[in-house]
Amino acid sequence: MKLATYKDGSRDGQLVVVSRDLASAHYATHAAHHLRQALDDWNFIAPQLQDLYAALNAERARHAFPFDPRQCMAPLPRAGHWALAQAWEHGLESGPAADPGFRLGAGDGLCGPCDPLVLGAEQLEMDFGAGLAVVVGDLPQRASPAQALDGVRLVLLANAVQLHAGALSPVQRQPVTAFGPVAVTPDELGDAWAQGRLGLTLQTSWNGRRVGIADADEDMRWPFGELLAHLCATRPLRAGSIVGAGTVRQRGVENGARRDWPKGYHAIADKRAFEVQQDGQARTAFLRLGDSVRIEMKGNDGHSVFGAIEQEVVGLPASEPAGAVRPRALPVAEAAPDGGDGTGLQ
Amino acid sequence: MKLATYKDGSRDGQLVVVSRDLASAHYATHAAHHLRQALDDWNFIAPQLQDLYAALNAERARHAFPFDPRQCMAPLPRAGHWALAQAWEHGLESGPAADPGFRLGAGDGLCGPCDPLVLGAEQLEMDFGAGLAVVVGDLPQRASPAQALDGVRLVLLANAVQLHAGALSPVQRQPVTAFGPVAVTPDELGDAWAQGRLGLTLQTSWNGRRVGIADADEDMRWPFGELLAHLCATRPLRAGSIVGAGTVRQRGVENGARRDWPKGYHAIADKRAFEVQQDGQARTAFLRLGDSVRIEMKGNDGHSVFGAIEQEVVGLPASEPAGAVRPRALPVAEAAPDGGDGTGLQ
């Protein structure tokens, strides 16, 4: 099934179930207000959401409304654990990686798919980073890769934003991550989801120009089962942990003395690394104010699986009063009326 | 005021208000079920908690009960953002630090003050790390240190556990953090809380022996306002973020050609660094199964401010079934006897 979180002015938003074709949605209030609640008690709540999903796809859901990705927060706007690896290789690695290169991110302000990328100054060298992540249930310490993979509840599309300016400390370089509109259960992905890899095509566009198209199961050195087991080596993972596999990369092809990446890139830093390898110098500049980024993955049927991440780079409001917090939510759509019978099903 | 979170089988526990002397407590259900709720809407909920706190201290609260730290979870068991710096210096630094050395931790399974420290194998080289942390309200991007300090809602006592085994990746070395029983509002700390430092004495005991006693406002290179402003440089912080200042250290004293640390240590790694500096070799071993750690801070009136962290190192249950999650609360050991002379140092 497909789940999303609608903006309602609150910090956790409202859980909605979204139809397979992303055309319609329905509030899941009868089962859970927030996705965190559903993850906390998944075995009890997921079947109720699944029933609603079936009704929605069959156009039997009574209070369905058109799904609007611009109303979405991150599917899980606040996560207690947001760990990001670098599981894909671009062929420029200096040798076999000793470990998946995990770093932890801040899970307190995860962004929706159309939230602006707030950039204080272009000198901070903001970059996008398109990839995949999973949300897990409770996993015990020392879970095996297979056991950990069984604990995957949802798959997500992610844009892990990076700042590359040298003056920043490591913690300052990871300002925010945005997620695709819907979270998708693994069963929904069919055969494309196998051994912890997702065999679908990721497309990244920058200012309307396609800059990367990648088979996401190729050149993925660390599949999700191994990523999760790495984290479980010394501690259990709690339900609602989000684990990202990093920026999707492809190893490129040898072309005489030169290496080419005909399928492009999903982070500007990778493009710059290609340029250094090819010409000795990076030429492509990082994100500028007004730039746009679009990230999407399509299923074998040509339909968007997660919906698209579409973000625009905006400046920090200069007039922001000291002590004020930038409003998180854009104008919110009218709340759809709730099912009179408490389920909304017919 | 003083707040705690009681275990009730749920992931977020139950918010309780605790009397100033830590003798009695009262459920805060009328105002908020969880501390997260209170932090999300602090200006509305805090006054209600404050009223209850006043009644509790005056012994006018109708349904008060004796406060038991062993029933406590971490005050905020799940935090979207748990960032840990190293703000104190021990005099062995190679030079002035360029930044506060922040690393992010997992906020999904923060431990209560008497939860066991689960150690898979002694070869993992488990260490304690006694220090302080704060919980903040919403802070805007580019908040100044003074502005950020105004956003501090609660002060916490922390034991940030580390694993030092060389084979572990950085993310595997931070398995868990435990927090003292009660979270304390800054106004409660009076003059001891000044310019983002807490001028009280931290006491750490290991297997019943006092190993460290430190003035927590000395040798703190980065006060909390600066720590918070560092994090806000490139992003806002959301309400409920926890920011730790790291292990409390003191710079020690020159003693001829040698440097001594007469006030001891609050992490075994620091003790080992002292030994290397003094004798060329680390002699003190890391935590062993059955070891106990006690961390406490007393006010100028001699009373415990946050209650004590009292943890015992236990093994991972060998019989744990695959897929099961370890119960969080195991039986708690007897408290280690405290040093009678107020220092306990040898």
Side-chain angles (χ1 to χ4, degrees):
Chain A
M1 61 187 161
K2 301 192 175 187
L3 303 172
T5 295
Y6 254 38
K7 296 178 180 180
D8 67 349
S10 77
R11 296 173 188 269
D12 293 311
Q14 280 284 332
L15 180 63
V16 300
V17 174
V18 183
S19 64
R20 181 170 290 124
D21 62 3
L22 307 184
S24 61
H26 197 291
Y27 281 98
T29 322
H30 70 290
H33 288 279
H34 316 131
L35 182 56
R36 186 178 54 235
Q37 279 181 285
L39 291 162
D40 284 353
D41 199 8
W42 186 255
N43 289 338
F44 180 70
I45 293 175
Q48 302 174 53
L49 301 175
Q50 183 67 44
D51 288 347
L52 177 55
Y53 183 63
L56 196 59
N57 286 327
E59 298 184 1
R60 286 188 291 102
R62 189 177 295 180
H63 299 289
F65 52 88
F67 177 62
D68 180 0
R70 291 170 299 182
Q71 300 307 323
C72 287
M73 304 172 77
L76 191 61
R78 302 200 278 184
H81 189 190
W82 162 224
L84 186 63
Q86 183 48 54
W88 285 276
E89 297 186 334
H90 52 29
L92 297 176
E93 292 78 13
S94 53
D99 68 60
F102 267 111
R103 57 186 194 275
L104 297 181
D108 63 325
L110 302 175
C111 280
C114 304
D115 287 350
L117 295 171
V118 179
L119 178 57
E122 290 180 349
Q123 293 87 334
L124 293 173
E125 302 188 343
M126 182 181 270
D127 197 358
F128 52 85
L132 296 168
V134 297
V135 184
V136 297
D138 290 311
L139 294 179
Q141 190 165 339
R142 289 188 177 165
S144 69
Q147 190 182 352
L149 206 51
D150 274 347
V152 170
R153 302 288 193 228
L154 298 164
V155 183
L156 302 172
L157 189 64
N159 179 21
V161 174
Q162 290 274 299
L163 301 172
H164 293 289
L168 299 175
S169 74
V171 76
Q172 292 172 330
R173 288 181 199 182
Q174 308 172 57
V176 76
T177 306
F179 291 90
V182 303
V184 174
T185 49
D187 65 293
E188 192 71 27
L189 300 165
D191 294 343
W193 176 250
Q195 276 91 46
R197 294 182 174 89
L198 184 55
L200 294 175
T201 306
L202 179 72
Q203 302 177 1
T204 297
S205 300
W206 179 13
N207 293 335
R209 194 167 75 85
R210 184 80 48 85
V211 296
I213 177 162
D215 302 320
D217 58 345
E218 282 186 18
D219 305 325
M220 190 183 188
R221 164 77 181 79
W222 309 90
F224 276 106
E226 290 185 34
L227 294 178
L228 295 168
H230 183 91
L231 291 174
C232 290
T234 58
R235 56 174 303 243
L237 288 196
R238 312 295 183 186
S241 291
I242 308 181
V243 177
T247 300
V248 173
R249 294 170 165 173
Q250 313 244 286
R251 294 183 64 82
V253 293
E254 299 292 346
N255 182 4
R258 179 185 155 105
R259 179 176 282 269
D260 283 335
W261 289 266
K263 293 185 171 176
Y265 57 92
H266 301 273
I268 300 172
D270 287 353
K271 168 66 166 162
R272 290 168 58 90
F274 302 163
E275 291 170 346
V276 168
Q277 194 270 345
Q278 291 168 335
D279 308 317
Q281 189 179 339
R283 285 172 288 107
T284 304
F286 288 104
L287 290 171
R288 296 201 164 102
L289 294 173
D291 277 8
S292 66
V293 179
R294 188 176 204 279
I295 299 165
E296 193 170 22
M297 185 168 248
K298 291 195 174 161
N300 292 323
D301 58 1
H303 289 118
S304 185
V305 177
F306 304 96
I309 295 174
E310 292 192 271
Q311 297 184 276
E312 189 175 327
V313 182
V314 304
L316 191 63
S319 59
E320 182 165 285
V325 173
R326 185 175 58 81
R328 306 173 67 166
L330 300 173
V332 174
E334 292 297 311
D338 205 7
D341 64 353
T343 71
L345 300 177
Q346 293 182 359
Chain B
M1 61 185 162
K2 301 191 176 188
L3 303 173
T5 295
Y6 254 39
K7 296 178 180 179
D8 68 349
S10 76
R11 297 173 187 269
D12 293 311
Q14 280 286 331
L15 181 62
V16 300
V17 175
V18 182
S19 64
R20 181 170 291 122
D21 61 4
L22 307 183
S24 61
H26 197 291
Y27 282 100
T29 322
H30 70 292
H33 288 280
H34 316 130
L35 182 55
R36 187 179 52 235
Q37 278 180 282
L39 291 162
D40 283 353
D41 199 7
W42 186 255
N43 289 338
F44 179 70
I45 293 176
Q48 303 174 53
L49 301 175
Q50 183 68 44
D51 288 347
L52 177 54
Y53 183 64
L56 195 59
N57 287 327
E59 298 183 2
R60 286 187 289 104
R62 190 175 293 182
H63 299 290
F65 52 87
F67 177 62
D68 180 1
R70 291 170 300 181
Q71 300 306 322
C72 287
M73 302 172 78
L76 190 61
R78 301 199 278 185
H81 189 188
W82 162 224
L84 186 63
Q86 183 49 55
W88 285 276
E89 297 185 335
H90 52 29
L92 297 176
E93 291 78 13
S94 53
D99 68 58
F102 267 110
R103 57 186 194 275
L104 297 182
D108 64 325
L110 302 174
C111 281
C114 303
D115 287 350
L117 296 171
V118 179
L119 177 57
E122 290 180 350
Q123 293 87 332
L124 294 173
E125 303 188 341
M126 183 180 270
D127 196 357
F128 52 84
L132 296 168
V134 297
V135 184
V136 298
D138 290 311
L139 295 179
Q141 191 165 338
R142 290 187 176 166
S144 69
Q147 190 181 353
L149 206 52
D150 275 347
V152 170
R153 301 286 192 230
L154 299 163
V155 183
L156 303 171
L157 189 63
N159 178 21
V161 174
Q162 289 275 300
L163 301 172
H164 294 288
L168 299 176
S169 73
V171 75
Q172 292 172 330
R173 289 182 198 180
Q174 308 172 56
V176 75
T177 306
F179 290 90
V182 304
V184 175
T185 49
D187 64 293
E188 192 71 26
L189 299 165
D191 295 342
W193 176 251
Q195 276 88 48
R197 295 181 173 89
L198 184 55
L200 294 175
T201 306
L202 179 73
Q203 303 177 4
T204 298
S205 300
W206 180 13
N207 293 333
R209 194 168 75 86
R210 184 80 48 85
V211 296
I213 178 163
D215 301 319
D217 59 344
E218 280 187 18
D219 304 325
M220 189 183 190
R221 164 79 181 76
W222 310 88
F224 275 106
E226 290 186 33
L227 294 178
L228 294 168
H230 184 90
L231 292 174
C232 290
T234 59
R235 56 176 302 245
L237 288 195
R238 312 296 183 186
S241 292
I242 309 181
V243 178
T247 300
V248 172
R249 294 169 164 174
Q250 313 243 285
R251 294 184 63 84
V253 292
E254 300 291 347
N255 182 4
R258 177 186 156 106
R259 179 176 283 268
D260 285 334
W261 289 266
K263 292 184 171 178
Y265 57 92
H266 301 273
I268 300 172
D270 286 353
K271 169 65 167 164
R272 289 167 58 91
F274 301 163
E275 291 169 348
V276 168
Q277 194 269 348
Q278 290 167 336
D279 309 317
Q281 189 180 338
R283 285 172 286 107
T284 304
F286 288 105
L287 289 171
R288 296 200 163 101
L289 294 174
D291 276 9
S292 66
V293 179
R294 188 177 205 279
I295 299 165
E296 193 170 21
M297 184 167 248
K298 291 195 175 162
N300 292 323
D301 58 1
H303 289 117
S304 186
V305 176
F306 303 96
I309 294 174
E310 294 191 86
Q311 297 184 277
E312 188 174 331
V313 182
V314 305
L316 191 62
S319 60
E320 181 167 288
V325 172
R326 182 179 59 79
R328 304 174 72 158
L330 298 172
V332 173
E334 291 297 311
D338 211 2
D341 64 353
T343 73
L345 298 177
Q346 294 185 355

